[in-house]
Amino acid sequence: MKILVIGSGGREHALYWKLAQSPKVTSIVCAPGNGGTDNNVDIASDDIQGLLNYAIEHKIDLTVVGPEDPLCLGIVDTFEEHGLAIFGPNKHAAQLEGSKDFSKSFMVRHNIPTAEYNAYTHHYDALNAISSMKFPLVIKADGLCKGKGVIICETHEEAKNTLYEIYVNKQFGSEGNKVILETFLDGYETSLLCFVSNNRIFPMETARDYKKIGEGDTGENTGGVGCYSPAPAFSNKVQANIDKILTSIEVGLSNDDFDFNGVLYVGLMIVEDTPYVLEFNTRFGDPETEVLLPRLQSDLVDIMMHVENDTLQQSHLQWDPRTCITTIVVSKGYPRGFDKNISVVLEDNGLVFHNGTQRTGSKVVSVGGRVLSFVEIGDNLVEMNAKLNNRIEKLEFENKAYRRDIGLI
Ligand code: AMP
Ligand code: GLY
């Protein structure tokens, strides 16, 4: 089979790496790919027409979509109209990630526990509402906003300024035309990714993502700078509540005639014994994929073809029981400004996925905030953390920054 992976991050390198292990695969390319994927095609991940032309011309048997933008632009609908097999949800289903109002309404309609919220299209109404709200308060711009549309405000003043930025300064352009005001939930977060085949849900293993840039979980939110899987086990009560949520999602997808195929990422906040859904993503997570796929013992091409043919069963997902952990090397300054095109000399024999790198000949440079995901698999988080830190210390990259406490807290 000829495979095309779309995207350029650590998630896509991990997908490329795992798919390439399938005996069914005769060739695999990544568009646009990064310094870790060796067969790259220079087509941007949101250039739907360019990707379609490539897939037709090169007789691609299966296209696997990494990021949310092409999904929300309707790449799956376009490919399917041309009779091409593609793994991911269609444009309608991708709104579960593409519009927070759409996904929150879905949750409320199907009794899926989530933070209380209201949606506002007028600045004046949102301003009025915050005057009687409790703080911290969560403000969310409705659209994708490159993953930066969630702002947690500690004070009324901060909330007022945030609304001004969104409505008047158009910080997120039209993606901020609608704003959600949401109750702040205080608990611990877990990511639960599920394969979905014709609206039926098949959970993968859990993962814990470290979102804060600073050690001790301090500082600004990032796309994720470390992760491990499985996350600590839930109590029976929490697990039973999560199972109920998954059933409600399944019923909701089916009752609303979704035709959902692909991956649904359920972002959970566990408050005492009660799990709430914070958000849905309609794709693999990054960095969750970098720790889930090394644990997946089953053939990923088989799983994706089962989704395509609506024959997937939970027993098709077999997992290595050990723990997989990643610490991500980022560019100093991330998630704010950082320099690019800094030389990266990687002489490491372990598993490393590239996030934001580019290769020219044998020379690799950094092009993103997240640069390399160093991965270990084993039984002891403390030992694996030490191994990761040792390996990363040897990396020659002038702008290197990373958290030394991934897996310890
Ligand atoms: P989202 O893009 O919806 O995942 O939000 C990004 C991050 O903001 C989440 O991973 C949480 O850490 C945080 N967040 C979102 N909604 C809430 C909420 N209602 N209460 C507390 N934290 C939240
Ligand atoms: N790890 C968060 C995300 O993929 O959106």
Side-chain angles (χ1 to χ4, degrees):
M1 283 176 78
K2 290 180 162 181
I3 309 270
L4 165 63
V5 177
I6 296 175
S8 60
R11 163 184 52 210
E12 286 76 19
H13 186 192
L15 284 165
Y16 180 97
W17 169 85
K18 178 67 185 168
L19 290 163
Q21 291 167 23
S22 168
K24 293 195 170 63
V25 173
T26 50
S27 75
I28 179 161
V29 294
C30 199
N34 64 31
T37 48
D38 37 25
N39 266 329
N40 293 339
V41 184
D42 191 14
I43 307 174
S45 57
D46 58 359
D47 177 2
I48 310 296
Q49 191 59 43
L51 293 164
L52 176 69
N53 294 345
Y54 181 89
I56 293 173
E57 191 183 331
H58 292 84
K59 299 190 166 48
I60 295 294
D61 297 298
L62 175 66
T63 297
V64 178
V65 189
E68 57 275 22
D69 303 73
L71 295 171
C72 290
L73 288 170
I75 190 170
V76 169
D77 312 59
T78 304
F79 270 51
E80 286 179 346
E81 277 158 24
H82 288 81
L84 294 169
I86 182 162
F87 182 81
N90 59 28
K91 188 175 181 177
H92 179 72
Q95 286 181 86
L96 285 172
E97 172 163 6
S99 163
K100 298 199 166 70
D101 190 29
F102 183 92
S103 66
K104 295 285 287 191
S105 324
F106 174 86
M107 292 181 221
V108 169
R109 193 161 57 248
H110 300 293
N111 294 319
I112 296 161
T114 186
E116 274 183 47
Y117 82 106
N118 273 305
Y120 300 88
T121 41
H122 296 293
H123 188 187
Y124 174 81
D125 294 332
L127 265 180
N128 249 350
I130 61 170
S131 62
S132 58
M133 282 181 151
K134 283 206 194 110
F135 289 84
L137 171 71
V138 185
I139 300 186
K140 297 185 174 182
D142 184 56
L144 287 176
C145 308
K146 301 194 183 327
K148 297 193 182 350
V150 176
I151 302 108
I152 297 171
C153 300
E154 300 292 337
T155 62
H156 183 259
E157 194 59 26
E158 243 183 89
K160 222 171 75 180
N161 293 339
T162 299
L163 290 176
Y164 191 85
E165 284 302 316
I166 297 177
Y167 280 113
V168 182
N169 286 344
K170 297 275 173 207
Q171 184 185 6
F172 302 115
S174 60
E175 293 186 324
N177 283 354
K178 203 184 272 179
V179 162
I180 299 235
L181 301 183
E182 182 172 301
T183 311
F184 177 80
L185 296 174
D186 195 5
Y188 68 93
E189 280 189 73
T190 296
S191 320
L192 182 57
L193 280 70
C194 307
F195 285 103
V196 186
S197 175
N198 192 16
N199 300 330
R200 289 178 306 129
I201 293 206
F202 302 89
M204 301 185 212
E205 295 277 286
T206 53
R208 160 139 197 246
D209 183 9
Y210 290 81
K211 288 212 193 278
K212 299 281 186 191
I213 188 67
E215 288 178 5
D217 277 334
T218 53
E220 286 187 78
N221 255 347
T222 67
V225 291
C227 198
Y228 69 87
S229 167
F234 302 121
S235 68
N236 291 343
K237 191 165 169 201
V238 171
Q239 187 59 55
N241 283 329
I242 291 176
D243 292 345
K244 248 197 251 170
I245 288 178
L246 295 182
T247 305
S248 303
I249 296 174
E250 210 168 52
V251 170
L253 292 177
S254 173
N255 286 357
D256 290 359
D257 289 328
F258 259 89
D259 191 18
F260 194 120
N261 290 294
V263 167
L264 182 69
Y265 168 132
V266 185
L268 294 164
M269 179 74 88
I270 321 283
V271 184
E272 287 160 12
D273 277 338
T274 309
Y276 293 85
V277 176
L278 279 186
E279 59 156 350
F280 290 131
N281 296 319
T282 56
R283 50 164 175 85
F284 284 98
D286 195 343
E288 288 86 349
T289 309
E290 289 97 302
V291 294
L292 284 167
L293 293 186
R295 293 188 58 217
L296 182 64
Q297 291 167 328
S298 321
D299 184 322
L300 185 56
V301 175
D302 280 347
I303 294 174
M304 290 180 171
M305 292 317 291
H306 277 304
V307 171
E308 176 77 14
N309 300 322
D310 194 14
T311 49
L312 188 65
Q313 294 172 23
Q314 193 66 44
S315 60
H316 291 134
L317 310 182
Q318 295 297 322
W319 301 94
D320 186 329
R322 292 175 300 165
T323 298
C324 186
I325 178 170
T326 184
T327 295
I328 300 189
V329 174
V330 303
S331 299
K332 211 166 25 192
Y334 174 77
R336 298 202 167 212
F338 53 85
D339 292 333
K340 289 185 183 175
N341 290 314
I342 310 292
S343 162
V344 177
V345 182
L346 178 65
E347 284 165 357
D348 182 279
N349 295 321
L351 184 57
V352 180
F353 294 121
H354 289 235
N355 301 81
T357 69
Q358 230 165 43
R359 182 186 295 273
T360 319
S362 60
K363 202 169 171 282
V364 176
V365 295
S366 63
V367 292
R370 293 190 289 187
V371 180
L372 293 168
S373 297
F374 282 69
V375 180
E376 283 285 336
I377 195 154
D379 295 307
N380 182 317
L381 278 171
V382 176
E383 281 172 24
M384 287 190 280
N385 164 278
K387 275 192 194 162
L388 287 172
N389 293 345
N390 276 333
R391 286 170 60 194
I392 294 172
E393 237 151 67
K394 295 188 191 116
L395 173 73
E396 284 180 47
F397 170 45
E398 213 176 279
N399 270 18
K400 174 168 70 179
Y402 64 103
R403 278 181 63 169
R404 298 179 59 88
D405 62 353
I406 303 300
L408 300 186
I409 65 163

